[in-house]
Each structure stands twice: as C-alpha cells, then as structure tokens.
Amino acid sequence: MTDLGTTARGAATGTGDRSRPRAALPALCATQVVSWGIVYYAFPVLNPQITAATGWSAGATTAAFSLSLVVSALAGIRVGRILDRHGPRAVMTVGSVLGVVSLVIVAVAPNVFVFIVGWALAGLAMAATFYQPAFAALTRWWAPDHVRALTIVTLAGGLASTVFAPVTAALAAQMSWRHTYLVLAGILALVTIPAHALALRAPWPDTPTSPAHATAGAAKVGRSRPFLLLAAAFTLSGFAMYAVVVALVPLLLERGYTTSQAAWVLGIGGAGQTLGRTLYAALARRTTARVRTTILIALGGLATAAFAVVPGPYALLIAVAVAAGMVRGNLTLLQATAITDRWGATHYGRLSGLLAAPATTASALAPFAGAALAGSLGGYPHLFGLLALVSGLAALTALGTAHAHAYGR
C-alpha cells in the first residue's frame, strides 16, 4: 500500500513527473464536486417538488433516476476499456456535454416519458464523468503514488452534497424545479466542459505491467473467487448506501423536519466524507485490504441503523450524518484502490468497470426499491433498519473473500 505520508515523490502536484498534467488534479477536483453535486445530489432535494408540481408519482420519477444509474453501470464497462486505451480527455469532455444536454431535457420534459429519456442520457454522462474515469486517469498518470492523488480528488468530491444540496434547496425556494435544473445545467457547462477539454491533454502513459499481469489477465481475474466475492460485497453495500442517500430527505420529512433542514443533513454528510477520507491513509497502513473492507462496510451498517432509531434532536442527526459521511468517504477510496491493492494497475479501467457494474446497478435500483419498500414496511425508519441488515450481510461477504495474494498480489 502506498504511504500517503510520503512527500518526496511529488505525486499530488505532479511536480515529480513531467508526464503528469499539472492542471489535471485541480481540474478533476472541481469537476467531481460540480458533476456529482448537480447530476446526482440535486435530485433527492428536488424530487418532492417535481412530484408535487407535475403530478407524476414518486415511484415514476425515482425509477427514471434509477435508470440513469443502470445505464451508467452498463456503459461504465465500455468506458473503462476506452480509458485504458485512449485516456480520459475525450471521454470526460463528451460526458460533460451529455450531462448538460440531459439536464436540459429533464428540465423541459413535458411528460414523464421525456423525463425518463433525459435521465437515461444522464446515465451516459455519469459513466463518463464521475469517479470511475477520474480514478482511471489518476491511477495511470500518478502511479505509483496514485493513492495520494485519489485521496485529494475524493476529498474535494466529498463536498459535492455539502455545496449543492443547500444550493439546490435555495434555488428551488426562489424558482420552479425546472428553472432550478436549467441554472444548474448552466453551471455544469461552465465548469466541467472547459476543465476536461483543457486540463486533460497530457500524453496517455503506456499500459503498466505488474506481477499480477504475469499470472492472471483481466478475464481470469474477473472470474476469480476473490473478485466475485468482492463484487458481491460492494453490490450489497452499494445498494444500502445509495438507498440511504436518496431516502434520507423523505425520512426526515416524515419525522417533521423542513426540506431545508433535511437538505442540510444530507449536505453535511459530504463534509463527513471529506473528514473521513483524511483518515484512510492511516487505516490502509494498519490493515489488509480484506480487513478494512469488512470494517468499513460494517460501520456503514451501524450508521444506517443509527438513522433508523434516532429521530432527533436535530443536532444529533447532524452528528449521525457526519459519521455516516465519514464511512461513505472511506468506502469511496476503498473501491478506488480495490483493484490496484489486489491485482495491480495493468487492467485498471476494465476491471474497475467490471467491479463497479453490479454495485452501480444495485445502487440504481436502490432508490426505487427503497421508495417501494418504505411503503410496505410501514415507513422510512423501518426501511433504514432493513438497509442496516443488508450492510451487515455485505460485511460478512467481504470477510469471506480469499487472500488476494493467491492471484499474484
């Protein structure tokens, strides 16, 4: 595991290697905040207003959002292969354009069918602009000190909900949800399109080799027991985690809090993510990949259980949100480094796409399934209790993974 305390190599800034684009890291920090904040985190805040203004059911609008994540999961496999061969500039620039177009379609949708089409297009944008392509870029450009760069970009990305959940709520208080999405689409265009087009121009390094490559190609690794169990653990954990993110605002509204208060609880979780990611280096130095995977997923389940049983006061809910965000932040870095920790960086884009696909699909189904289950279970607190159990199952699955050194690491 790379020691994040090491400073001699200059990995974070790129000063230690001229092949690293100096502007890439700050650009990706900015674009991850804006892309996640607008394309993902604005929806949980705006969805109650969308359903109230249009008469569309919450199930239909949430299903449209879930579809975007399914599309992202499926497209991510192909995107990973393209990234391995050609690099991130074209992929992420085109993805930014698609993101803007998709939000405009969502904003002007005259009916739920067009609304669904807009979110399907947004799924392509997510696959091309969210963490997976950014991680692939940093892993290749910053190797072997990529963990430092990944930590920095996720520290910034953790602020997405902190910034844009309250901003979205403030905009929605002054204008319709449609105008809010148009304003957000304009911000997305101004920040992400030029940043990706101009800052990611460095030559794409040759494919790295590693000990893992000598014994197992991408196809063999993808069929191995450790990989399949890891994918299962991340899938269960992802389902629970993203159901919690989308269901948190309805949970708090059900408990009598205002939309603004709920948005702040959701947003403050982003600050928790940033705080938690500063602790990942110490955890990585002291644990194996399997142990920290089990610990972090189990802690995520405990945080979800806390939401289920803690109705207030508001300050205590803020504290739970920060704790939950800290766990989520570490889980993001855990998934970003899962491939290189076990199998090296040779096929990072392809393997990370394969690993992320079932987890992202589960995450896509989570909002829709969560909304449906909340009704049948008798409310959102019961839903959060069930999601805590799902996280517990994920932790047990992670505990069962075989030692990765059997496959060359």
Side-chain angles (χ1 to χ4, degrees), residues 40 44 59 85 97 104 163 169 214 237 243 267 284 287 322 332 337 361 364 380 385:
Y40 188 91
R85 295 171 185 167
V97 174
V104 171
V163 173
S237 176
T287 60
V322 171
T332 301
T337 58
T361 302
Y380 281 93

Side-chain angles (χ1 to χ4, degrees), residues 128-152:
T129 59
F130 277 12
Y131 277 142
Q132 183 183 332
F135 289 164
L138 295 173
T139 296
R140 183 74 68 88
W141 269 324
W142 264 259
D145 295 318
H146 56 281
V147 180
R148 181 194 296 273
L150 294 175
T151 302
I152 292 172

Side-chain angles (χ1 to χ4, degrees), residues 1 280-293 295:
M1 190 69 192
Y280 184 79
L283 179 64
R285 285 194 296 268
R286 291 168 173 80
T287 60
T288 64
R290 183 176 62 166
V291 168
R292 62 179 169 273
T293 300
I295 290 172

Side-chain angles (χ1 to χ4, degrees), residues 3-18 20-22 25 141-146 148-149 152:
D3 185 352
L4 302 190
T6 302
T7 59
R9 297 174 184 173
T13 62
T15 57
D17 189 333
R18 292 183 180 179
R20 295 169 182 165
R22 292 175 181 270
L25 187 55
W141 269 324
W142 264 259
D145 295 318
H146 56 281
R148 181 194 296 273
I152 292 172

